[in-house]
């Protein structure tokens, strides 16, 4: 059974002074806290055992928002990251949570949305043997980690911020790994910045011939809400789609219901908790039409 990790640590310095007293991942992306978006990806993948990694002083804030996840039919635990020492440190911090199971890691400031996301996640999990990365075509690949794949989707090269990119596929903040990723992370040497680089984990799998990259392609949206401008753009994207289509993106309670984690009665009760808000009314409408 696939487990999940959300890395919601860091100092959020790119968003100062807004994040001086609150976690970046608790800021709103339109009408929901930012962390709802990566959590929704894990839940759509069928993951019900989730670990949130964040700063020690922010754990209480996340716990107040999400609790233990029981109301969503999932289990949510928390672990501290004392200092931001790289994405790959999430693998060593979460080792006890991972155990001998495969898992998905998602960055807490990433927003994914697109048709067929559910099927894509489930197919990727079913075919997982080593690692699966998710690539997104960008116009400026030299700003990202860039992956190159063969005709069968196997990763053949991976480079951080290349001067001459081998492709236009940027590596997004969503990763799937086998449990051996923990040992790979533990064996890494820190970078010049003193961090454990996730790219080094991915290259280790590439050298083993066990790395794949899924091209999210046209029709998908991938947004990194880690700056003031990108946070605004993400909010505008969500606002336009929700207003035009009458749906909610990354509505955890709806996903829990659609995935069978909770029943209609529980969904209705969650809607009542939000009082007279449009969000609560949406949940009650979903429960009523069950």
């Amino acid at each position: 059974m696939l487990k999940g990790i959300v890395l919601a640590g860091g100092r959020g310095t790119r968003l100062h002074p807004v994040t001086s007293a609150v976690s970046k991942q608790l800021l709103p992306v339109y009408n929901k806290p930012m962390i709802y978006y990566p959590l929704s990806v894990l839940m759509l993948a069928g993951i019900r055992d989730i670990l949130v990694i964040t700063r020690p002083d922010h754990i209480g804030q996340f716990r107040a928002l999400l609790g233990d996840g029981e109301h969503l039919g999932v289990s949510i635990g928390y672990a501290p990251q004392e200092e931001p020492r790289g994405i790959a440190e999430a693998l060593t911090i979460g080792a006890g949570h991972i155990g001998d199971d495969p898992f998905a890691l998602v960055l807490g400031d990433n927003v994914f949305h697109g048709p067929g996301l559910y099927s894509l996640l489930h197919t990727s999990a079913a075919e997982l043997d080593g690692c699966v990365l998710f690539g997104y075509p960008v116009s400026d690949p030299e700003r990202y980690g860039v992956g190159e794949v063969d005709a069968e989707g196997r990763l053949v090269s991976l480079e951080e911020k290349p001067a001459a990119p081998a492709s236009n596929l940027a590596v997004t903040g969503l990763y799937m790994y086998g449990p051996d990723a923990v040992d790979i992370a533990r064996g890494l040497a820190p970078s010049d910045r003193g961090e454990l680089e996730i790219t080094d984990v991915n290259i280790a799998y590439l050298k083993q011939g066990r790395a794949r990259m899924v091209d999210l392609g046209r029709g998908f949206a991938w947004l990194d809400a880690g700056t003031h401008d990108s946070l605004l753009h993400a909010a505008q994207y969500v606002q336009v789609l929700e207003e035009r289509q009458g749906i909610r993106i990354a509505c955890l309670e709806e996903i829990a219901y659609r995935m069978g984690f909770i029943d209609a009665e529980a969904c209705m009760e969650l809607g009542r908790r939000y009082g007279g808000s449009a969000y609560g009314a949406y949940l009650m409408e979903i429960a009523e039409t069950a």
Side-chain angles (χ1 to χ4, degrees):
M1 179 66 70
L2 207 65
K3 292 181 178 176
I5 295 177
V6 181
L7 181 56
R11 301 186 183 93
T13 53
R14 293 183 298 169
L15 285 166
H16 280 176
V18 179
T19 51
S20 297
V22 66
S23 169
K24 169 178 64 176
Q25 290 83 7
L26 291 174
L27 297 178
V29 176
Y30 186 43
N31 55 5
K32 293 171 288 293
M34 186 186 298
I35 196 171
Y36 274 37
Y37 295 86
L39 278 174
S40 73
V41 174
L42 298 182
M43 291 173 64
L44 283 170
I47 296 172
R48 303 182 70 169
D49 194 352
I50 299 169
L51 179 70
V52 175
I53 298 175
T54 188
R55 284 173 44 175
D57 54 327
H58 289 160
I59 287 179
Q61 298 173 357
F62 283 102
R63 196 183 298 277
L65 174 68
L66 301 169
D68 61 5
E70 183 179 5
H71 62 293
L72 298 172
V74 302
S75 173
I76 299 178
Y78 305 89
Q81 184 183 39
E82 300 294 339
E83 294 291 337
R85 299 188 183 95
I87 296 172
E89 189 186 34
L91 279 57
T92 61
I93 293 173
H97 170 73
I98 294 165
D100 296 323
D101 295 309
F103 66 99
L105 167 66
V106 62
L107 303 187
D109 60 1
N110 275 214
V111 176
F112 294 88
H113 180 255
L117 181 58
Y118 168 88
S119 298
L120 184 147
L121 292 170
H122 281 257
T123 300
S124 299
E127 297 176 352
L128 177 62
D129 176 23
C131 85
V132 176
L133 310 181
F134 295 83
Y136 188 78
V138 296
S139 59
D140 49 353
E142 64 278 357
R143 295 181 52 236
Y144 301 90
V146 173
E148 179 187 10
V149 298
D150 63 17
E152 296 180 353
R154 287 190 296 262
L155 195 67
V156 297
S157 73
L158 182 62
E159 188 176 1
E160 279 293 325
K161 300 181 180 178
S167 80
N168 70 337
L169 285 180
V171 179
T172 68
L174 175 61
Y175 318 84
M176 290 184 178
Y177 294 110
D180 55 337
V182 174
D183 289 333
I184 293 174
R186 283 173 171 161
L188 295 179
S191 67
D192 294 340
R193 299 182 298 175
E195 298 183 354
L196 299 181
E197 302 290 350
I198 199 68
T199 298
D200 292 339
V201 175
N202 299 333
I203 289 175
Y205 279 111
L206 185 156
K207 291 178 178 178
Q208 296 175 15
R210 300 172 60 217
R212 295 179 56 250
M213 175 178 277
V214 176
D215 183 354
L216 293 177
R218 297 180 64 176
F220 275 85
W222 168 55
L223 302 165
D224 175 349
T227 68
H228 295 291
D229 286 343
S230 61
L231 180 61
L232 177 61
H233 294 160
Q236 291 171 331
Y237 173 84
V238 174
Q239 179 192 30
V240 168
L241 281 183
E242 291 196 352
E243 287 188 350
R244 290 187 177 180
Q245 297 183 4
I247 50 89
R248 292 288 185 272
I249 296 172
C251 176
L252 299 184
E253 297 85 357
E254 178 183 10
I255 293 171
Y257 171 60
R258 304 289 188 198
M259 294 292 295
F261 298 171
I262 61 174
D263 59 20
E265 183 179 351
C267 184
M268 176 67 76
E269 179 57 32
L270 290 171
R272 293 192 185 103
R273 289 187 191 181
Y274 291 110
S277 70
Y279 192 88
Y282 178 77
L283 292 177
M284 289 189 286
E285 181 180 353
I286 288 171
E288 287 173 350
T289 57

